[in-house]
């Protein structure tokens, strides 16, 4: 169902002239060949993504600009200029070379968001080896799966996290060494390396990093990206994030998933921005303080965090000076319309939703400062990317029809392969389209609307319902913080809609009274019925304390469903403690 609520671009308070002045004009005239001059090539068409992220700036006044403002979990701070970051990553590169790491070898990083994570990532790319990232919250099984599948040669971690390797190390014959960054002599060993490096001049198609998907729908896939991906990442950082020289930018994503790589390390630094990185966990007051203290002007975050901020009544944006914010964005999950209305009210700015995947390597569909936002829509394809809605045979569907969100292969950051799984890689492609596994539709004005993951779409009484629209309707009720919605098999209706609802604090006491609890369930059902559609309301509601989510904050509906149906819950390697 398409909502028509619009946040007009004319209401957008521009403080800097946006890079993307006219969406349609840029889209129509864009081609990647022509965009090549946005990045730096060596001779003979060679390049290096890490060079583009950092070292390219050393020939300009940006050399001494701060690239990284790091804030530790305990409040300590450190800053690094582009020059310092380049030197530190060169030292990592030498250190790894000294350990026999060669081009094409996989070097994995298993660290919290500390400066060495970022420097080592760059160092790995600079010698042409392949960087892999592991969330610092991963436990033994998740580590074993990924390190084994990738055949990682070196693991960079700290003494605390390395404990999790003890029981699995013997099962990893390819793993030659574990580097512990807080061991006694590590700092000296690193400092003794040269800060100058002959950077590997890779082919555009040489592998740069690999990353396992979030595991929302099943076992994570080892997605491999090449060096040329930096072009898409750079261009989208410019057009979608709208990064300018003056900006202070904070992307809250962990580099254990793709946003934290493409838009903290690669595309954003390639645009020369000063980035804030916060080591600690989500906490509303701390987050607002970080935005205020650092004068953050561009903030890229995720719906899960926004919903948690909205749910806080004692800590609100109005209590902080967030006047430096000028552009805010969201990715990773559908952005509930309520979240945009909230941000407009609280921050004077709308969240700009954008859509992409680990596999796509860059933002593919987005809202832009210079385009009206249709609240609830993901926006339009980024320049250089052709997107469509196709049926399962890869035939394009007309506007307003639900189908697979599909992309025409050929943009620079399209994944190169699924590690050790060519068959899986091939299975993404149908009739020359890359099928994303997500369902959506395009409206008559070319805006894309997300309906749900193909697996999550509910078929009830002959109608198809995306869980997201039901969840969004529930979130609009004052009692609800979050909701996860599934289809539950039903002999009459095919499936019925069941909602798992997390309530605001003040309701938790009240629902201890079972009459009240039943009443509230009734009320929520009716609320959705009234606000959404007669057929698309939850016939069953269950209150729960917490939704199962991936470490990157995505609702894992498959786990709600498996539990509901008493089925095995499958791969839980990315599940947040539950
Ligand atoms: P897996 O592929 O292992 O199941 P995953 O798909 O969650 O995990 P990611 O690549 O991290 O792994 O996430 C991409 C997916 O996230 C998209 O396919 C889409 O389902 C969802 N997503 C990302 N951004 C948005 C958005 N703006 N609106 C709706 N959904 C989004
Ligand atoms: Mg996926």
């Amino acid at each position: 169902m398409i909502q028509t609520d619009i946040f007009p671009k004319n209401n957008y308070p521009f403080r800097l002239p946006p890079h993307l002045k006219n969406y349609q004009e840029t889209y129509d005239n864009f081609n990647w060949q022509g965009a090549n001059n946005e990045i730096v090539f060596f001779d003979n068409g060679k390049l290096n993504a890490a060079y583009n992220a950092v070292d390219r700036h050393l020939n300009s006044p940006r050399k001494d600009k701060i690239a990284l403002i790091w804030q530790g979990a305990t409040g300590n701070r450190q800053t690094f200029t582009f020059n310092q970051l380049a030197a530190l990553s060169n030292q990592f590169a030498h250190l790894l070379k000294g350990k026999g790491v060669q081009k094409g070898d996989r070097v994995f990083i298993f660290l919290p968001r500390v400066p060495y994570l970022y420097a080592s990532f760059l160092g790995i790319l600079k010698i042409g080896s392949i960087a892999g990232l592991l969330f610092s919250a991963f436990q033994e099984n998740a580590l074993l799966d990924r390190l084994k599948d990738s055949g990682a040669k070196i693991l960079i971690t700290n003494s605390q996290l390395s404990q999790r390797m003890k029981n699995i190390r013997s099962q990893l014959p390819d793993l030659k060494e574990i580097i512990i960054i807080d061991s006694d002599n590590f700092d000296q060993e690193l400092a003794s390396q040269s800060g100058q490096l002959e950077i590997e001049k890779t082919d555009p198609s040489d592998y740069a990093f690999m990353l396992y998907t979030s595991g929302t729908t099943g076992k994570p896939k080892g997605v491999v990206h090449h060096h040329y991906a930096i072009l898409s990442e750079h261009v989208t950082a410019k057009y979608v994030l709208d990064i300018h020289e003056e900006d202070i930018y904070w992307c809250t994503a962990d580099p254990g998933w793709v946003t934290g790589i493409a838009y903290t390390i690669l595309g954003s630094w390639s645009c020369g921005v000063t980035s804030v990185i916060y080591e600690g966990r989500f906490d509303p007051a701390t987050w607002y303080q970080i935005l205020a203290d650092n004068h953050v002007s561009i903030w890229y975050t995720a719906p899960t965090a926004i919903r948690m901020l909205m749910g806080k009544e004692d800590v609100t944006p109005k209590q902080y000076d967030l006047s430096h914010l000028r552009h805010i964005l969201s990715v990773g999950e559908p952005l509930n319309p309520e979240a945009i209305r909230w941000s407009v009210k609280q921050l004077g700015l709308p969240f700009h939703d954008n859509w992409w995947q680990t596999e796509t390597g860059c933002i593919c569909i987005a809202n832009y400062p210079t385009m009206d936002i249709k609240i609830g829509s993901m926006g339009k394809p980024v320049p250089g990317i052709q997107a469509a809605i196709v049926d399962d045979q890869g035939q394009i569907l007309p506007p307003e029809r639900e189908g697979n969100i599909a992309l025409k292969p050929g943009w620079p950051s399209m994944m190169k392969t699924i590690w050790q799984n060519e068959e899986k890689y091939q299975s993404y492609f149908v009739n020359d389209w890359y099928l994303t596994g997500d369902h959506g539709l395009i409206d008559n004005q070319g805006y894309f609307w997300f309906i749900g993951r193909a697996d999550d779409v509910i078929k009830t009484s002959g109608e198809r319902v995306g869980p997201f629209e039901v969840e969004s309707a529930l979130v609009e009720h004052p009692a609800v913080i979050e909701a996860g919605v599934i289809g539950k098999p039903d002999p009459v209706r095919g499936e019925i809609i069941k909602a798992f609802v997390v309530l605001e604090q003040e309701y938790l006491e009240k629902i201890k009274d079972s009459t009240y609890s039943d009443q509230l369930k009734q009320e929520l059902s009716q609320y959705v019925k009234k606000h959404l559609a007669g057929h698309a309301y939850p016939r069953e509601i269950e209150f729960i304390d917490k939704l199962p989510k991936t470490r990157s904050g995505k609702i894992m509906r498959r786990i709600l469903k498996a539990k509901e149906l008493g089925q095995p819950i499958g791969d839980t390697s990315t599940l947040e403690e539950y």
Side-chain angles (χ1 to χ4, degrees), residues 3-7 337-338 340-341 373-377 449:
Q3 313 204 10
T4 46
D5 219 355
I6 287 178
F7 182 87
E338 187 64 10
I340 298 185
R341 295 189 199 106
I373 293 177
K374 288 194 180 180
I375 294 176
S377 153
W449 298 76

Side-chain angles (χ1 to χ4, degrees), residues 489-509:
D490 178 83
V492 181
R493 298 186 170 84
E495 283 182 313
I496 58 158
I497 299 173
K498 169 150 190 180
F500 295 85
V501 171
V502 181
L503 291 174
E504 295 276 358
Q505 189 69 31
E506 56 177 293
Y507 288 85
L508 297 180
E509 260 318 295

Side-chain angles (χ1 to χ4, degrees), residues 163 241 500:
Q163 301 302 320
L241 306 180
F500 295 85

Side-chain angles (χ1 to χ4, degrees), residues 251-468:
C251 168
T252 59
D254 187 282
W257 83 291
V258 71
T259 307
I261 296 179
Y263 299 109
T264 298
I265 306 179
L266 295 174
S268 42
W269 270 338
S270 169
C271 288
V273 81
T274 298
S275 266
V276 174
I277 287 169
Y278 173 52
E279 181 192 14
R281 293 173 70 99
F282 173 78
D283 169 68
T286 314
W287 274 36
Y288 289 137
Q289 201 64 57
I290 291 171
L291 291 169
D293 288 351
N294 295 291
H295 296 183
V296 171
S297 57
I298 306 179
W299 182 31
Y300 194 15
T301 189
T304 178
I306 301 168
R307 288 193 299 263
M308 293 303 151
L309 293 174
M310 289 161 65
K312 267 281 192 219
E313 267 158 27
D314 49 337
V315 184
T316 70
K318 298 252 157 93
Q319 297 159 352
Y320 299 81
D321 176 9
L322 304 184
S323 58
H324 291 86
L325 279 178
R326 68 168 192 89
H327 188 37
I328 57 177
L329 307 96
S330 161
V331 71
E333 273 197 304
L335 179 63
N336 312 95
E338 187 64 10
I340 298 185
R341 295 189 199 106
W342 175 85
S343 73
V344 168
K345 205 147 103 204
Q346 294 284 335
L347 299 164
L349 296 168
F351 273 109
H352 286 67
D353 187 21
N354 51 80
W355 173 98
W356 58 297
Q357 308 180 297
T358 311
E359 293 90 333
T360 69
C362 76
I363 298 168
C364 295
I365 301 177
N367 287 285
Y368 313 87
T370 39
M371 200 172 83
D372 289 347
I373 293 177
K374 288 194 180 180
I375 294 176
S377 153
M378 308 190 293
K380 296 189 181 185
V382 302
I385 290 190
Q386 189 191 344
I389 302 295
V390 306
D391 66 15
D392 292 345
Q393 285 70 48
Q395 300 298 328
I396 295 185
L397 294 171
E400 309 277 347
R401 283 269 303 278
E402 178 191 332
N404 301 291
I405 302 176
L407 308 171
K408 195 53 99 180
W411 71 98
S413 66
M414 172 71 202
M415 68 170 159
K416 289 303 283 180
T417 188
I418 299 288
W419 190 258
Q420 306 249 49
N421 197 344
E422 180 63 19
E423 199 182 321
K424 174 72 204 170
Y425 174 70
Q426 291 301 341
S427 73
Y428 283 92
F429 301 94
V430 175
N431 193 26
D432 277 343
W433 286 99
Y434 163 76
L435 264 52
T436 63
D438 287 344
H439 271 211
L441 58 77
I442 309 179
D443 69 16
N444 285 315
Q445 291 168 311
Y447 281 79
F448 280 68
W449 298 76
F450 181 83
I451 291 176
R453 308 215 179 220
D455 298 345
D456 290 340
V457 175
I458 302 163
K459 287 143 227 124
T460 182
S461 308
E463 302 277 352
R464 300 169 62 80
V465 177
F468 159 58

